[in-house]
Amino acid sequence: MPEASPRGTYLVIAEALRNEIEEGEGIDTLPSEADLMRSHGVGRNTIRRALKVLETDGLVESAPGIGWRVARGGDRRSLAERMTDVIAEDSLSVGDAYPSEAKLCERFGASRTAVRRVLAQMEGNGLLATVHGKGRTVRALPTPTVRP
């Protein structure tokens, strides 16, 4: 960026990214924050503010373990919500085996680190229990949440 915009550099970057997304067909993921910093000549906070503007507009979404991707409608729930909903979707009961990390990574297209983070959260919330050598089991059923 040659000079700062009176409108806000992050808004200028957000608009440039918006145009790239709308003009580019088949773009699924955005470049990394580091690549965006280099290409626009700004700091990480400026890039994050620009991405947050696009996220608020529903154009992009943060994908833990992946980065930022273009939102295409579809399932807009967080990884934690989707993994919690596996209990109901797979008709699991208390004591049933919960899917393995590998199966969850494949099912949600997320990294093992992101899946492990959510599994730890679910264990902390009392939804899952880990039996070493046997995997995870459902400890409690999640309380239903109302989504708009």
Side-chain angles (χ1 to χ4, degrees):
M1 255 297 95
E3 53 187 74
S5 164
R7 229 182 109 201
T9 303
Y10 74 99
L11 292 173
V12 173
I13 294 170
E15 193 60 32
L17 290 172
R18 180 186 319 274
N19 291 336
E20 286 178 33
I21 291 168
E22 290 172 357
E23 291 172 5
E25 293 187 21
I27 297 175
D28 290 327
T29 58
L30 296 178
S32 69
E33 289 180 4
D35 288 341
L36 290 170
M37 288 167 49
R38 278 190 293 277
S39 65
H40 292 281
V42 296
R44 187 172 304 277
N45 284 338
T46 304
I47 293 299
R48 287 187 175 165
R49 285 183 76 185
L51 291 169
K52 285 295 181 186
V53 167
L54 297 176
E55 182 180 40
T56 301
D57 292 346
L59 197 58
V60 299
E61 60 189 359
S62 175
I66 298 171
W68 289 89
R69 65 179 170 209
V70 177
R72 298 282 184 212
D75 195 348
R76 305 211 30 177
R77 298 173 295 161
S78 70
L79 181 60
E81 290 173 313
R82 291 185 290 158
M83 285 177 58
T84 299
D85 289 347
V86 164
I87 295 171
E89 290 168 2
D90 293 0
S91 302
L92 300 177
S93 301
V94 174
D96 287 350
Y98 191 77
S100 69
E101 288 177 5
K103 287 183 180 174
L104 292 167
C105 290
E106 183 179 328
R107 182 171 179 167
F108 298 114
S111 70
R112 192 169 287 256
T113 303
V115 167
R116 283 182 178 164
R117 188 176 308 125
V118 174
L119 288 170
Q121 180 183 357
M122 291 174 72
E123 287 178 22
N125 291 339
L127 293 176
L128 299 177
T130 299
V131 179
H132 292 286
K134 298 202 179 210
R136 291 177 179 85
T137 59
V138 177
R139 185 172 173 195
L141 299 178
T143 55
T145 56
V146 178
R147 292 194 186 97

